[in-house]
Amino acid sequence: MATPETPVTPATPTENHEMVHEHEMIPEHEMGHEHEMGHEHEMGHEHDMSHELDMGHEHEMGHEHEMMHEHEMVEHEIVLGNEMVPGNGMVQDYEMIPGNEMVLAEPQPNNVETPETQPGKHRKKKSIVWEHFTIENVAVGTRRAQCKKCKQSFAYSTGSKVAGTSHLKRHIAKGSCPVVLRNQQNDQLTPYSTPPKMTGYGGGNGAPKRRYRTASTPYVAFDPDRCRQEISKMIIIHDYPLHMVEHAGFLTFVQNLQPRFDMVSFNTVQGDCVATYLREKQAIQKVIEGVPGWICLTLDMWSSHHTVGYVFITGQYVDSEWKIHRKILNVIMEPYPDSETAFSHAVAACLSDWSMEGKLFSVTINQPLGDAAIDNLRALLSVKNPLVLHGQLLVGNCLARTLGSIAQDAFKVVQGTVKKVRDSVKYVKTSESHEEKFIELKQQLQVPSTKMLTLDDRTQWNTTYEMLLAATELKEVFSCLDALDPDFKDAPSLEDWKQVETLCTYLKIFFDTANLLTAPSIPTTNTFFHEAWKIQLELARAATSEDPFTSSLTKMMQEMFDNYWKSCCLMLAIAVVMDPRFKMKLVEFSFSKIYGEEAAAYVKTVEEGIHELFNEYVALPLPLTPTYVEEVNGSAMRQEDGQGLDASCNRLGLTDFDVYIMETSSQQSRSELDQYLEESLLPRVHEFDVVGWWKLNRMKYPTLSKMARDILSVPVSTVTADSIFSTVSKEMDHYRCSLRPETVEALICAKDWLQNASIDTSPVPIKMEVPI
């Protein structure tokens, strides 16, 4: 029984063009027949195919429309040739997806005709395109493909001629289907991505190739606000100038990338950067408020061509999870950087900005301060901030700056010799022929050194040290190079090499110490007591050397380092006492080596200092931050409940009882320190997380653990890891000097916060099995 003819939507000229290009051959791999049939099917031109396939629409159809049964796609399928698969265009041959196996399409019943099975022919593998099309029999031997979404009809086959599926895929992938286009605008997934150029199209060998489906690419709606945020973050993180948003090249790039985006102006992007800074600052402010202990600051003064200074203030603290953090808190412009009040003014501004009055433990500064400047700083802080240990731990010098200054002065002592070595290295490294001769001579002399010659960067003192060290190991080659190469002159003499070797010997201890400061994790303070006392001992011994050059060189070094040792010795010694592997024993041992018969007096100073500091922790408990209250009571304390308890105690006349509790607790707490010092030392291991150890023992030492947490987090350096070896003072660039001070602070602080947001600061696990 005949059914009414289904109206066929005529294909548009564009669609006809996309179905089969005029005179374009359809590849064999898109034919609906197998190669085993014994003959090739002749392909017609586009207009011939369209004419022939549309003939059956002029009269009543004699067949019922048969809807093809859609089989669920298996996750891994074999697709012939260059047939497109959903996802990001064509996938590469043999590209595997999870599962790592191929599954053939399920067999069809013999009595069901599908686009992949025709009578008397082998079953072809199912194409993904049939998830979006169905087949209609419009006449005898004539079939058309109908889009499930928009119901448009397209030519598929007439007799033995098959149009393939490429034009059907283009209908879905290129947005010709109005339903798919509407779904894309609604932020839905696109069924196909735009197909790339098919390799082998029209010229392929038709051999089956394995191809696999990939995940669809999500359609992301254009969001101008999000674009503005990302531009501001890009400028902040990469130190791009704010004016780049007005540069012609950047404007052209953005216009071609997204014509719908209205490019922002300088003022707008400046506001966006400040807004990013303020958002990040709110989050850090909450962290600072919840810090259970004290906070340490470092001050680094940068110069500028405007003769104004910029003080970089960095905060270092241990959070409630016992993790050490280091963040830039402020960048404050100081009009008179050489004044005695410059640093005290910057610290006061920082404490006020972050509401840290009463929480400052110590300040580490990148340059020596005069007595007047230190007095100003102490006077300022004594008003709203208790001075720990009478201010003896308040101000410390930067270890990195101290080491760098000593190295620079040491190079000046042997300036002429260093220049000879540098010129010799330069002669070898700046010519390929010279270097070939040098290597040839090294092999003839069988010099065992594996070091490579490198020219130094005079702004990084470690590179000069490494250049000298490598040259000394190859001094035999340099001494004989003039015999092989007559152009090489002015080689260092034996006396020169002796001086360089002596210089490298004593620079090595500074180099090794500075390397500890470049570690990605934040080192604890106790680490540097070991380094400092070894430097002090080595220089004291070398200063008494009978060799005039060694003696004069190391005396100069000792005088410079002694200034650092005197200002920071007490802090470093208390920190190492908080290491359960050493306690007071290492202080006693090291001081006996350094001071000899006078060691007992210095040891007594440390003992008295650590007991006095502990008593201050007992008498002056840490600020009652939410975190601290939770640690003490085991749960959050409401302010009104505390006030009610105080009133009740006063009514009962228990004020004197509070004094009694404090006195008895003080006695108990002092024994807590004595108990710790009397216990045996822990075994020494290569890796030991001292802060983690105090976290594990905080219930046993409730007060002492808090003191240890603050002492061990005191920073010894004011500079970042990439500036540890720098020999030049930091200077603000011209562009940033042209910006408002508030903008400069926002850009620098926000960069530090954004870059360090994802860094894991978890402590290193305690390892007790490997002895030193």
Side-chain angles (χ1 to χ4, degrees), residues 550-725:
T550 301
S551 177
S552 61
L553 176 67
T554 53
K555 277 183 179 179
M556 178 273 298
M557 292 180 171
Q558 185 187 24
E559 290 176 1
M560 297 182 67
F561 189 78
D562 195 54
N563 293 330
Y564 175 82
W565 175 256
K566 289 178 180 178
S567 66
C568 300
C569 175
L570 180 60
M571 171 68 75
L572 297 177
I574 294 177
V576 84
V577 173
M578 293 294 99
D579 189 334
R581 299 172 297 173
F582 301 103
K583 301 182 181 179
M584 284 296 300
K585 296 298 183 182
L586 183 59
V587 175
E588 296 168 358
F589 172 78
S590 58
F591 281 12
S592 65
K593 297 289 186 180
I594 297 173
Y595 300 112
E597 297 179 355
E598 299 177 357
Y602 291 97
V603 172
K604 184 179 180 181
T605 301
V606 176
E607 288 180 336
E608 292 177 349
I610 195 171
H611 279 84
E612 185 176 352
L613 179 61
F614 180 73
N615 292 338
E616 290 184 9
Y617 268 79
V618 175
L620 297 173
L622 299 181
L624 291 180
T625 61
T627 304
Y628 182 69
V629 172
E630 186 174 353
E631 285 187 5
V632 173
N633 297 325
S635 61
M637 177 187 293
R638 294 181 302 176
Q639 184 175 1
E640 56 270 20
D641 293 342
Q643 292 174 350
L645 180 60
D646 292 340
S648 175
C649 290
N650 290 334
R651 285 196 302 269
L652 294 176
L654 297 179
T655 304
D656 293 338
F657 177 71
D658 294 335
V659 177
Y660 170 76
I661 289 296
M662 182 177 294
E663 292 176 352
T664 56
S665 298
S666 178
Q667 293 289 340
Q668 249 182 346
S669 298
R670 281 198 295 270
S671 62
E672 180 183 319
L673 173 60
D674 295 335
Q675 177 186 352
Y676 166 76
L677 295 176
E678 290 170 1
E679 289 179 349
S680 59
L681 303 179
L682 292 183
R684 297 192 300 277
V685 295
H686 287 294
E687 295 185 30
F688 181 76
D689 177 19
V690 61
V691 176
W693 186 89
W694 281 106
K695 178 183 178 181
L696 296 176
N697 291 271
R698 66 186 183 278
M699 301 304 295
K700 182 178 180 180
Y701 305 109
T703 302
L704 190 60
S705 62
K706 293 178 175 62
M707 188 180 84
R709 177 168 56 185
D710 293 332
I711 287 289
L712 294 171
S713 63
V714 173
V716 298
S717 175
T718 65
V719 297
T720 56
D722 58 344
S723 301
I724 295 298
F725 295 100

Side-chain angles (χ1 to χ4, degrees), residues 22 63 230 239 264 268 309 316 331 480 487 537 667 676 685:
E22 186 174 5
H63 303 278
E230 294 303 325
D239 294 327
V264 294
T268 302
Q316 188 160 307
V331 178
C480 300
D487 295 331
L537 180 62
Q667 293 289 340
Y676 166 76
V685 295

Side-chain angles (χ1 to χ4, degrees), residues 445-620:
L445 296 175
Q446 297 182 350
V447 177
S449 175
T450 58
K451 291 187 178 297
M452 301 294 295
L453 291 178
T454 55
L455 277 173
D456 63 330
D457 176 1
R458 301 181 70 173
T459 64
Q460 301 286 325
W461 69 265
N462 61 311
T463 62
T464 304
Y465 162 73
E466 291 170 340
M467 177 191 72
L468 297 176
L469 186 63
T472 56
E473 294 190 9
L474 297 169
K475 62 181 180 181
E476 296 179 24
V477 185
F478 281 109
S479 300
C480 300
L481 185 59
D482 56 349
L484 184 64
D485 188 352
D487 295 331
F488 178 67
K489 301 177 182 179
D490 297 329
S493 63
L494 294 178
E495 184 64 24
D496 292 334
W497 287 120
K498 182 180 178 181
Q499 290 184 356
V500 172
E501 288 176 345
T502 301
L503 176 64
C504 289
T505 298
Y506 294 102
L507 280 182
K508 183 180 186 303
I509 56 179
F510 298 107
F511 175 79
D512 293 340
T513 301
N515 259 333
L516 295 176
L517 296 171
T518 63
S521 58
I522 301 174
T524 51
T525 315
N526 61 300
T527 304
F528 297 97
F529 178 82
H530 304 272
E531 304 301 317
W533 84 265
K534 286 187 294 186
I535 292 176
Q536 187 75 358
L537 180 62
E538 285 293 329
L539 295 180
R541 288 176 174 175
T544 60
S545 172
E546 296 181 357
D547 179 63
F549 175 77
T550 301
S551 177
S552 61
L553 176 67
T554 53
K555 277 183 179 179
M556 178 273 298
M557 292 180 171
Q558 185 187 24
E559 290 176 1
M560 297 182 67
F561 189 78
D562 195 54
N563 293 330
Y564 175 82
W565 175 256
K566 289 178 180 178
S567 66
C568 300
C569 175
L570 180 60
M571 171 68 75
L572 297 177
I574 294 177
V576 84
V577 173
M578 293 294 99
D579 189 334
R581 299 172 297 173
F582 301 103
K583 301 182 181 179
M584 284 296 300
K585 296 298 183 182
L586 183 59
V587 175
E588 296 168 358
F589 172 78
S590 58
F591 281 12
S592 65
K593 297 289 186 180
I594 297 173
Y595 300 112
E597 297 179 355
E598 299 177 357
Y602 291 97
V603 172
K604 184 179 180 181
T605 301
V606 176
E607 288 180 336
E608 292 177 349
I610 195 171
H611 279 84
E612 185 176 352
L613 179 61
F614 180 73
N615 292 338
E616 290 184 9
Y617 268 79
V618 175
L620 297 173

